[in-house]
Amino acid sequence: MIVLSGTIGAGKTSLTDLLAAHFGSNAYYESVDDNPILPLFYENQKKYGFLLQNYFLNKRMDNIRDAQGSQLNIIDRSIYEDLLLFQTVAAQGQATEVEVDIYRDLLDNMMEQVDFSDEAVLKTPDLLVYIHVSFDTMLNRIKKRGREFEQVDHDSGLYDYYKLLNNRYSQWFEAYNQSPKLMIDGDAYDFVEDTEAAEKVLTLIDQKVKELGLK
């Protein structure tokens, strides 16, 4: 598996589409538009944060299981980011430390080898691709895709949440050691809008895939 990571608005879904088409593989997406909890979370983070994280955890396990079917399948968000996201919510007082501890224990337990129909699920990706974007790029992309509940204009408190989350991602990537990893500069390579930049990003990932012997 190739698994993508990055903050909200980094371009994970766009790069997932590009990579799946490039490798002729399957794409597995984070549950967003069909997620019944996400709009509620943006209305009341404190009430729905714990429920949302558990919803995502369940869906990510489904994606990891399903992505085992063939080589170089793409998942558009890493399960390893979930704790970071929930800790960021808690850092703003929108979740309790007890909830964070319970979620961490649940995540750790689920990340043990789980048996699905006599086949153990391999949860460690072959490559994690982190898309780094500046805070301004993050805000611009969130605004452009137009989900009302994500907009800073809809809730001014989201500005501080997004800024804290963006700052924490670089530290998270530096500490990540579960698999080979690659960082893509989403500001230098606007693969969402620029086809030439998209080709350069695909070349960078191709080089890493070949280096790892995945293709």
Side-chain angles (χ1 to χ4, degrees):
M1 296 179 296
I2 296 177
V3 178
L4 304 190
S5 65
T7 190
I8 301 164
K12 297 181 297 297
T13 300
S14 295
L15 187 53
T16 296
D17 292 340
L18 288 169
L19 287 171
H22 180 67
F23 290 123
S25 56
N26 298 318
Y28 298 87
Y29 299 95
E30 183 174 43
S31 175
V32 176
D33 292 333
D34 61 344
N35 186 330
I37 312 300
L38 195 58
L40 300 175
F41 167 75
Y42 276 95
E43 291 295 332
N44 190 332
Q45 293 185 11
K46 192 168 188 176
K47 183 175 181 180
Y48 292 103
F50 185 67
L51 178 60
L52 177 66
Q53 288 307 130
N54 282 277
Y55 177 91
F56 275 136
L57 179 59
N58 185 45
K59 293 296 184 180
R60 292 203 213 295
M61 292 300 294
D62 286 343
N63 282 349
I64 290 168
R65 178 195 60 198
D66 294 342
Q68 304 302 310
S70 59
Q71 190 176 22
L72 292 177
N73 283 338
I74 317 297
I75 299 179
D76 80 337
R77 186 188 282 280
S78 159
I79 198 169
Y80 299 99
E81 297 162 81
D82 279 359
L83 184 59
L84 166 68
L85 294 165
F86 197 36
Q87 286 173 326
T88 304
V89 171
Q92 292 197 298
Q94 300 300 322
T96 67
E97 288 304 318
V98 171
E99 288 174 317
V100 172
D101 289 343
I102 291 172
Y103 178 77
R104 182 189 291 108
D105 288 344
L106 177 61
L107 177 62
D108 288 345
N109 285 335
M110 290 187 72
M111 291 301 290
E112 297 292 332
Q113 287 295 329
V114 179
D115 191 14
F116 288 96
S117 302
D118 299 326
E119 291 186 7
V121 173
L122 175 64
K123 287 167 287 296
T124 303
D126 296 294
L127 173 64
L128 180 131
V129 177
Y130 166 57
I131 307 166
H132 173 74
V133 293
S134 66
F135 183 53
D136 286 342
T137 296
M138 176 186 179
L139 291 181
N140 287 337
R141 289 186 178 167
I142 289 171
K143 185 173 183 178
K144 188 168 184 177
R145 72 184 179 189
R147 293 183 188 132
E148 182 179 356
F149 57 81
E150 290 182 339
Q151 303 306 312
V152 172
D153 293 341
H154 179 71
D155 179 1
S156 59
L158 289 176
Y159 182 91
D160 291 335
Y161 169 66
Y162 290 153
K163 188 170 186 178
L164 180 59
L165 185 62
N166 189 269
N167 288 339
R168 287 184 167 200
Y169 252 97
S170 294
Q171 299 173 7
W172 173 84
F173 178 70
E174 287 296 323
Y176 175 83
N177 61 2
Q178 298 298 314
S179 72
K181 60 186 181 181
L182 173 68
M183 185 180 78
I184 299 296
D185 187 335
D187 289 338
Y189 299 105
D190 185 8
F191 55 85
V192 176
E193 300 287 347
D194 185 346
T195 55
E196 185 176 342
E199 288 299 322
K200 290 179 180 178
V201 167
L202 291 175
T203 297
L204 291 172
I205 295 173
D206 267 339
Q207 290 171 348
K208 189 67 175 179
V209 165
K210 290 175 182 177
E211 174 190 322
L212 294 171
L214 303 178
K215 185 180 178 183

